[in-house]
Amino acid sequence: RGAHVAIEHEDAASICRAMIAAGVIPDFRTPSAIRLGMSPLTTSFSDVWNGLALLRELGSERRHEP
């Protein structure tokens, strides 16, 4: 139906909130999944690149923590 990537992380809920604050809209799935949907008609390569770079940055630097 649609293209998406789901990533499991123990802090998925707080990472999703941090991504939304940065302008990337993920989908949180309980208990610990971050889902990113990418429509080929409206999502550019740079949108995907920037969104995944933000995800990598938040996860590795733990910037999502309060």
Side-chain angles (χ1 to χ4, degrees):
R1 294 180 348 173
H4 73 271
V5 174
I7 300 167
E8 295 265 338
H9 193 282
E10 61 189 18
D11 297 326
S14 61
I15 290 173
C16 282
R17 285 191 296 274
M19 290 181 79
I20 291 168
V24 176
I25 309 300
D27 184 24
F28 172 68
R29 297 294 177 151
T30 58
S32 60
I34 301 165
R35 191 173 77 157
L36 301 167
M38 294 159 275
S39 169
L41 295 176
T42 59
T43 306
S44 69
F45 174 80
S46 60
D47 290 335
V48 174
W49 184 271
N50 293 336
L52 292 177
L54 175 63
L55 181 62
R56 183 181 328 112
E57 180 180 315
L58 290 170
S60 66
E61 295 179 5
R62 306 200 61 84
R63 286 191 333 158
H64 61 281
E65 295 177 345

